[in-house]
């Protein structure tokens, strides 16, 4: 069996980056092993320490362990069919939301940005704990709104499957091929420019 704990999925970078950045990737095969609640709380603590506009901390998370069958099912049912076949085996599902207004009622233009920053903290802390996560935009936001009775200023943005790494061979196609496809990135010179954009 392919050992997905091998470094084969780690990023090959042109410049040295933090180990957790190199090691993070988005698997679809998760091990049965549950995620201890303290580890999950640690991961959310990392999110808490992300910077945010006016220190508003607009991120919110709704999560469920798979053992909490009813709560897990509610989150699972929000996923689109393209994600359900593999995400059903994740030990933890998370719905990430952002509060689109500041506490004073004015719109927070940075709400999505700041949730993204928090998610980045979260996933890198998870990586440091040996966990893997897979973000999913493929979910039904309206269903999430209804299921959780969300107020208008709370926007469901992305879901996350979280757990320990499984074996690629657990997956059926097309997910198996995606799990093993080469990881690619644009080179830094194609998106970071000194002084001004190129013509
Ligand atoms: C906002 C967002 C939405 C995503 N939606 C999905 C999704 O619905 N299904 C899926 O399989 N992967 C999804 N992904 C995972 C990306 O495809 C993945 O992060 C990207 O291909 C880079 O691979 P890596 O995370 O392994 O580096 C999403 C990632 C992000 C950040």
């Amino acid at each position: 069996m392919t050992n997905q704990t091998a470094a084969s999925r780690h990023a090959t970078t042109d410049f040295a980056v933090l180990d957790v950045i190199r090691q993070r990737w988005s698997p679809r095969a998760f091990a049965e092993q549950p995620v201890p609640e303290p580890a999950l709380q640690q991961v959310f603590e990392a999110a808490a320490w992300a910077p945010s506009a006016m220190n508003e901390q607009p991120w919110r998370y709704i999560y469920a362990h798979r053992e909490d069958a009813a709560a897990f099912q509610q989150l699972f049912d929000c996923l689109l069919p393209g994600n359900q076949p593999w995400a059903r085996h994740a030990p933890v599902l998370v719905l990430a939301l952002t509060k689109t207004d500041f506490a004073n009622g004015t719109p927070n233009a940075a709400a999505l940005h700041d949730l993204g920053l928090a998610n980045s903290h979260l996933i890198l802390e998870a990586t440091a704990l040996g966990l893997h996560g897979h973000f999913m935009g493929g979910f039904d936001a309206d269903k999430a709104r209804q299921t959780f009775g969300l107020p208008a200023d709370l926007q469901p943005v992305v879901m996350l499957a979280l757990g320990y790494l499984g074996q690629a061979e657990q997956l059926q196609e097309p997910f198996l091929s995606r799990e093993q496809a080469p990881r690619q990135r644009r080179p830094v010179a194609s998106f970071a420019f000194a002084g001004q954009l190129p013509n």
Side-chain angles (χ1 to χ4, degrees):
M1 282 178 113
T2 308
N3 178 7
Q4 289 208 102
T5 58
S8 62
R9 305 297 297 165
H10 293 179
T12 308
T13 63
D14 293 331
F15 301 93
V17 296
L18 294 176
D19 283 348
V20 285
I21 293 176
R22 253 184 353 95
Q23 294 161 359
R24 185 215 60 81
W25 65 285
S26 305
R28 293 179 177 82
F30 289 97
E32 279 291 316
Q33 191 183 350
V35 177
E37 179 64 17
L40 200 52
Q41 293 298 315
Q42 181 174 336
V43 161
F44 287 128
E45 177 79 33
W49 288 96
S52 63
M54 308 277 287
N55 199 21
E56 176 71 22
Q57 304 160 62
W59 47 83
R60 302 287 185 273
Y61 297 100
I62 299 172
Y63 71 92
H65 294 269
R66 195 141 57 88
E67 304 92 89
D68 189 353
F72 187 91
Q73 189 69 39
Q74 279 198 318
L75 286 167
F76 177 78
D77 286 344
C78 292
L79 289 171
L80 294 183
N83 288 322
Q84 285 187 336
W86 58 269
R88 73 172 64 249
H89 302 290
V92 174
L93 286 177
V94 183
L95 172 64
L97 316 111
T98 199
K99 202 166 163 297
T100 53
D101 290 342
F102 283 114
N104 67 10
T106 59
N108 180 358
L112 285 169
H113 174 274
D114 291 350
L115 171 64
L117 267 180
N119 284 346
S120 188
H121 273 217
L122 180 158
I123 201 64
L124 294 179
E125 185 76 20
T127 305
L129 292 177
L131 289 161
H132 282 75
H134 196 133
F135 288 102
M136 296 169 286
F139 77 101
D140 184 335
D142 290 335
K143 188 164 193 173
R145 282 197 171 284
Q146 283 174 6
T147 302
F148 298 105
L150 302 178
D153 73 341
L154 211 48
Q155 181 183 345
V157 178
V158 73
M159 292 187 68
L160 172 68
L162 195 68
Y164 297 99
L165 201 54
Q167 301 291 340
E169 286 76 4
Q170 293 166 220
L171 298 168
Q172 313 248 314
E173 292 296 355
F175 307 114
L176 175 59
S177 299
R178 289 180 196 163
E179 194 84 342
Q180 295 171 328
R183 300 184 64 218
Q184 288 169 339
R185 288 300 193 271
R186 295 163 179 250
V188 170
S190 73
F191 64 84
F193 310 105
Q196 61 178 13
L197 291 172
N199 292 322

